[in-house]
Amino acid sequence: MIILVTGAKGQLGSEFREIAADIKEHEWHFKSRADLDLRNLKQMESQIRGLSPDVIINCAAFTAVDLSETEQEAAFAINADAVARIGEIAKAMNICVLHYSTDYVFHGEGNIPWKEGDLCSPKGVYAKSKRAGEEALLATGAKAIVI
């Protein structure tokens, strides 16, 4: 199985790199922002098509919560537009997508772990961009899981 991990130098991507070291039966490809710029949709599509992975694990995100308020375009480009395009490519190529959410998409009240069916009510640009990406990915009809 060929597995593409985006956001390879981030916190989550780095964890997958450690896990992959023990799972040798799969072909892992780790792409950082320098290797795969999610703001460049044509380059991203070309790389995904060239690699033809069976699974994309999307760990990439614009995670600077406060900076998202002033860099809204960048936040939406990476957290929403790129995720939507990954979904479209995945649908066309029959690729499974594992995409990571954030607790920021919820309303922020309460003190118990969030469940899949809990109400989403994102506050702020970061949360709204992440939620927009999730919705766009699922709307593509790709085989996708949002965690």
Side-chain angles (χ1 to χ4, degrees):
M1 180 180 301
I2 299 171
I3 302 170
L4 168 61
V5 179
T6 65
K9 289 189 178 175
Q11 184 177 8
L12 189 55
S14 296
E15 292 296 324
F16 271 102
R17 189 181 296 272
E18 283 188 34
I19 291 167
D22 294 328
I23 306 175
K24 309 241 187 260
E25 63 269 17
H26 300 304
E27 181 180 326
W28 295 85
H29 294 266
F30 291 89
K31 301 287 185 177
S32 68
R33 183 181 327 148
D35 306 317
L36 181 67
D37 184 353
L38 297 186
R39 293 169 295 177
N40 184 336
L41 298 181
K42 286 186 179 199
Q43 180 220 37
M44 179 183 71
E45 179 174 356
S46 175
Q47 286 199 29
I48 292 171
R49 288 190 181 281
L51 184 59
S52 193
D54 299 292
V55 176
I56 297 172
I57 302 174
N58 185 33
C59 300
F62 188 101
T63 58
V65 176
D66 293 336
L67 193 57
S68 294
E69 296 300 321
T70 56
E71 295 192 21
Q72 295 179 21
E73 187 175 311
F76 273 92
I78 294 168
N79 294 342
D81 301 341
V83 176
R85 190 66 190 127
I86 287 171
E88 292 165 358
I89 297 164
K91 171 73 173 169
M93 295 182 67
N94 199 31
I95 299 169
C96 296
V97 179
L98 180 63
H99 177 73
Y100 281 85
S101 180
T102 173
D103 59 342
Y104 281 78
V105 301
F106 297 103
H107 51 76
E109 298 169 10
N111 58 2
I112 58 173
W114 299 107
K115 295 184 202 123
E116 188 174 287
D118 287 343
L119 175 67
C120 289
S121 180
K123 309 281 190 256
V125 173
Y126 169 69
K128 289 175 183 176
S129 68
K130 287 292 288 178
R131 184 64 183 151
E134 296 167 9
E135 291 173 329
L137 172 62
L138 296 173
T140 66
K143 294 186 288 187
I145 298 172
V146 176
I147 295 179

